[in-house]
Amino acid sequence: MSETPQLKAPISVFLVDDHALFRAGVRTELDSITNEVRVVGEAGSVAEAVAGIARTKPQVVLLDVHMPDGGGAEVLRRARTDLPDVVFLALSVSDAAEDVIAVIRAGARGYVTKTISSKELVRAIARVAEGDAVFSPRLAGFVLDAFADRPGSAPISDPELDLLTPRERDVLRLLARGYAYKEIASELFISVKTVETHVSSVLRKTQLSNRYELSRWASDRRLV
Amino acid sequence: MDHVQEKPRTETGMPLPRPPGEGAVVPAAGSALAEVDERPKMYRRRSSRVVAGVASGLADHLGIKVLWVRATFAILAAFGGAGMVAYGLLWVFVPQRRREETEAPATPREKQQAIGLLILGVGLLVAGGAITGAINGWVAVPLALALVGAAVVWREADESQRRRWRDGARSGVAGMVLGGGGWSAAIRILAGVALVITGIGVVVLRSGSLDQVQFALLAVLATLVGVAVLTVPFWLRMGRDLGEERRARIRTEERAEIAAHLHDSVLQTLALIQKQSESPKEVARLARSQERELRGWLYGPSGYGTPEKKGEDRSVAFSQAIANACGEVEDTFAISVSQVVVGEAQLDDRLTALVLAAREAMVNAAKHAGVDEVSVYAEVEPTAVTVFVRDRGKGFDPETVSEDRHGLADSIRGRMERNGGTVRLRTAPGDGTEVQLEMPVKADSGGTR
């Protein structure tokens, strides 16, 4: 389909956002700058999204966090059990930690803000499609905050799961500082693959952790 | 342009006009209702009720078994009818649950128990009355009449209330007294009239044979109850209408406030952007500062969407100071500064110095690195607060920095060292620059919250 030899077919992407204008913009951008991704459908509401995702079976769903009837977390709850292979990438304008953490905990593979450049968005889509987690610096900050050992925090229910290893913490810190995976790898003298493994395990812990803190921390953060 | 900008102001910037009389009444009457609204609401049950749903509603509200509530009412009935009075008062003052809300259905066993307890309660009331001698034969008849009349009226008031919810109509005074018409309203009026007549009749028929004062009191009481029965639904409805009215007014004002804010911020900026459309840099600067402002308004610590916390000390916090510094640099140099702050601390002298040093590092990056994005990461730990200011710009060779460049030496290194902090610099030509600032936290200040 193109003159550059491609190993894989383009990644199919489904857009979920309640603003038609934003969907149109993302679609145009994604279609124009690369043939790595192909938009197969879009939806403006939770119900539409659930139906559309089930119908088109995309590889990646770009998911808005804030929608009138329940938001991204609701789409995840309803679409994810039937289609475990579809990966979700949250694309949000919201800065509120609880919004972000809600979709991550519901099973999104990453979170990027809407000010992201189109090139980076394509990279992020490609990365989640390969099974990697995508952490923006801000998300890394939120997660670090969630796992922070604050004095007086609730007892840890599952220590194995509920703590980040020092290495994971280091990786997250560098992510929050705006380092790319390659830079993190050379900084910590590990391979990029290892960085990816750490990031994925942080995501898994965030999603699985039943630490009291994780549900509480968002409201804590609002007070700061 | 002016016309376009002014129009939304007059339309949306003010609360909706309302009749002056109405507006004057609402705040005074609404203030008492407001306090009730703060607490979690108690409702009488609509389904699975035996008399009026008070006991089950109370059980829902308190989170205990309905059986215990009913038993308590029954036992209390023995003490001069206290249980009955309490039940009656709750019936009067607790609103019924709206239809659409779901409730747990009652089991037949529960219903049986309830009826049993109801009979027990009445029995205890009569027994208690007989023992204490409070209920004599001649009082019992009008009293029973009054109670039955009141019960009929309240049953009916429930019905008409349902009708009112369904219609959503704000009926007038006459409509309220009549309760939306129908023969149930007629029954209520008849009961009220019967009570008044009873009151008068007691005086007329029994006067002379017993103590005059007692009869006079009884007659007055019966008459008053009769009048109350006739008008109480009206008062209650007025109260509830006022509450409804007040809520609607708050919503309207809130909408007006949001509209006014969006007008003052977003619309003004969009208008400016249209004028500046040939200068992308200026457009980006305006958009960024507007985004930051709106974000702060929506999601910030004192933001619009943040629930209000009482008694919270919100003096300037470290994260806020960092955010302000980032915002200033963004605006001054038209670059984007993405900041991530983990943890929180109260600002003291040392942390103020740290923020100022970080700000200077951002300014350096903005001036010399030749990039349009700078990352700032700050972390509050129990022992120290660290800030990283990073750009992917030109970088430089620290050895070749000329002596007259005071920014790094004085504003950053000097300031940090005076306050006991340290500075580390990672930079190389073509590799970007990262300034790492670390400030130890005083042991007593506690570090993270």
Side-chain angles (χ1 to χ4, degrees):
Chain A
M1 98 196 277
S2 65
E3 44 276 44
T4 48
Q6 286 216 317
L7 296 171
K8 288 171 285 189
I11 302 161
S12 54
V13 174
F14 192 90
L15 291 174
V16 181
D17 195 296
D18 56 328
H19 292 106
L21 206 59
F22 182 79
R23 291 202 303 270
V26 171
R27 191 170 200 150
T28 317
E29 291 262 301
L30 289 182
D31 287 345
S32 66
I33 66 162
T34 174
N35 44 27
E36 260 184 84
V37 295
R38 188 167 52 88
V39 178
V40 294
E42 51 184 75
S45 71
V46 172
E48 240 180 88
V50 174
I53 293 164
R55 196 182 59 244
T56 56
K57 299 202 172 51
Q59 283 171 279
V60 177
V61 176
L62 277 183
L63 191 61
D64 189 19
V65 175
H66 268 295
M67 281 191 294
D69 46 355
E74 181 66 25
V75 176
L76 276 160
R77 259 192 298 280
R78 283 167 51 183
R80 227 169 138 259
T81 41
D82 298 337
L83 300 158
D85 295 337
V86 179
V87 293
F88 291 80
L89 176 62
L91 176 63
S92 171
V93 76
S94 165
D95 254 5
E98 52 265 54
D99 293 340
V100 178
I101 280 293
V103 289
I104 292 295
R105 293 214 74 192
R109 293 288 294 168
Y111 159 78
V112 291
T113 51
K114 282 185 176 173
T115 49
I116 192 172
S117 72
S118 307
K119 263 208 186 95
E120 285 189 33
L121 182 58
V122 170
R123 275 227 308 271
I125 291 170
R127 259 167 47 197
V128 291
E130 281 163 22
D132 192 16
V134 172
F135 274 55
S136 69
R138 191 166 277 275
L139 176 56
F142 288 159
V143 173
L144 272 175
D145 233 2
F147 283 102
D149 297 308
R150 293 218 181 96
S153 63
I156 296 160
S157 45
D158 185 353
E160 287 291 312
L161 189 64
D162 276 336
L163 283 178
L164 299 180
T165 65
R167 247 302 127 88
E168 287 164 354
R169 207 173 280 267
D170 288 343
V171 170
L172 267 192
R173 277 210 182 96
L174 289 168
L175 271 174
R177 279 158 67 177
Y179 281 62
Y181 281 18
K182 213 169 63 193
E183 294 166 319
I184 296 172
S186 71
E187 176 80 19
L188 298 177
F189 305 108
I190 53 180
S191 72
V192 174
K193 197 78 212 136
T194 314
V195 174
E196 284 173 6
T197 313
H198 283 311
V199 170
S200 287
S201 93
V202 168
L203 183 87
R204 190 176 50 85
K205 286 184 182 181
T206 314
Q207 286 170 352
L208 294 182
S209 174
N210 47 6
R211 196 173 185 183
Y212 180 59
E213 196 95 339
L214 259 185
S215 55
R216 265 293 305 272
W217 75 286
S219 61
D220 280 357
R221 234 195 112 78
R222 286 221 143 185
L223 302 178
V224 302
Chain B
M1 180 58 72
D2 274 341
H3 174 69
V4 174
Q5 282 187 12
E6 282 310 312
K7 208 173 164 217
R9 165 100 276 175
T10 48
E11 274 185 353
T12 56
M14 273 163 27
L16 285 183
R18 64 187 61 255
E22 225 177 327
V25 176
V26 169
S31 59
L33 288 162
E35 283 168 34
V36 180
D37 286 348
E38 302 285 315
R39 271 172 259 131
K41 280 245 178 183
M42 174 178 161
Y43 290 105
R44 282 184 287 126
R45 283 254 192 116
R46 183 169 282 279
S47 65
S48 78
R49 60 182 185 179
V50 175
V51 181
V54 169
S56 45
L58 192 61
D60 288 348
H61 184 65
L62 299 174
I64 54 177
K65 272 194 160 179
V66 65
L67 179 66
W68 295 114
V69 179
R70 284 179 176 143
T72 310
F73 275 126
I75 291 163
L76 280 175
F79 300 97
M84 297 289 173
V85 173
Y87 195 96
L89 287 175
L90 285 170
W91 190 353
V92 173
F93 289 111
V94 175
Q96 200 165 33
R97 192 177 285 278
R98 279 160 191 265
R99 179 156 289 179
E100 58 266 25
E101 289 170 52
T102 53
E103 295 163 342
T107 58
R109 192 179 129 81
E110 214 176 58
K111 197 133 190 162
Q112 226 168 8
Q113 281 174 338
I115 293 168
L117 283 167
L118 180 67
I119 295 165
L120 178 71
V122 173
L124 283 172
L125 173 66
V126 172
I131 290 164
T132 54
I135 303 176
N136 294 324
W138 61 267
V139 187
V141 176
L143 200 64
L145 201 66
L147 285 176
V148 169
V152 166
V153 167
W154 280 102
R155 227 9 263 190
E156 197 280 320
D158 276 1
E159 300 289 336
S160 55
Q161 210 151 2
R162 267 179 237 157
R163 202 163 27 245
R164 195 176 71 86
W165 278 330
R166 198 170 55 224
D167 299 342
R170 296 271 158 84
S171 42
V173 174
M176 281 171 176
V177 172
L178 286 170
W183 66 279
S184 52
I187 290 180
R188 182 166 55 80
I189 290 165
L190 280 179
V193 170
L195 278 164
V196 175
I197 290 172
T198 311
I200 297 163
V202 166
V203 177
V204 171
L205 294 175
R206 304 297 293 264
S207 66
S209 63
L210 268 166
D211 185 12
Q212 292 290 330
V213 181
Q214 224 174 13
F215 277 117
L217 280 178
L218 191 67
V220 168
L221 198 72
T223 313
L224 284 179
V225 170
V227 171
V229 155
L230 283 172
T231 57
V232 154
F234 161 70
W235 294 114
L236 269 187
R237 270 176 217 175
M238 191 166 82
R240 279 172 199 163
D241 272 0
L242 287 178
E244 196 65 33
E245 166 89 22
R246 188 174 153 274
R247 272 191 289 280
R249 189 164 47 86
I250 289 171
R251 274 197 295 273
T252 311
E253 276 172 14
E254 212 162 62
R255 267 199 294 270
E257 196 193 325
I258 293 172
H261 185 92
L262 292 181
H263 170 262
D264 291 345
S265 57
V266 179
L267 291 182
Q268 305 278 21
T269 309
L270 287 178
L272 274 176
I273 284 176
Q274 286 176 31
K275 281 185 187 167
Q276 305 273 353
S277 55
E278 313 83 45
S279 157
K281 200 159 181 168
E282 186 64 10
V283 167
R285 189 185 69 79
L286 285 167
R288 244 191 315 262
S289 75
Q290 189 50 62
E291 189 202 344
R292 188 174 54 250
E293 200 258 332
L294 196 57
R295 228 176 244 295
W297 191 69
L298 286 172
Y299 307 117
S302 56
Y304 199 81
T306 313
E308 268 178 51
K309 294 280 172 186
K310 284 169 191 159
E312 282 284 335
D313 175 29
R314 289 289 120 236
S315 51
V316 180
F318 173 71
S319 66
Q320 193 58 48
I322 285 279
N324 290 345
C326 293
E328 281 165 32
V329 174
E330 276 195 341
D331 281 354
T332 317
F333 297 94
I335 58 161
S336 121
V337 180
S338 68
Q339 111 251 0
V340 177
V341 181
V342 172
E344 182 59 298
Q346 280 305 308
L347 214 53
D348 57 12
D349 288 352
R350 288 173 159 197
L351 292 186
T352 309
L354 177 65
V355 171
L356 289 172
R359 188 183 187 283
E360 189 60 31
M362 291 177 225
V363 170
N364 274 350
K367 275 187 187 162
H368 306 298
V371 289
D372 52 13
E373 184 167 6
V374 176
S375 315
V376 174
Y377 171 64
E379 186 172 13
V380 181
E381 285 168 295
T383 52
V385 181
T386 43
V387 179
F388 302 87
V389 179
R390 174 173 209 283
D391 66 67
R392 294 166 179 281
K394 291 192 196 112
F396 61 95
D397 184 354
E399 302 296 317
T400 63
V401 173
S402 62
E403 290 299 312
D404 60 332
R405 288 263 305 271
H406 292 296
L408 185 60
D410 297 344
S411 295
I412 300 178
R413 186 155 278 144
R415 188 174 267 139
M416 289 300 286
E417 280 167 2
R418 275 196 298 281
N419 288 281
T422 52
V423 179
R424 279 170 61 207
L425 195 64
R426 297 162 50 112
T427 183
D431 213 22
T433 308
E434 187 177 59
V435 182
Q436 309 183 0
L437 308 164
E438 181 166 347
M439 186 63 81
V441 171
K442 283 188 206 123
D444 58 313
S445 69
T448 50
R449 283 187 318 113

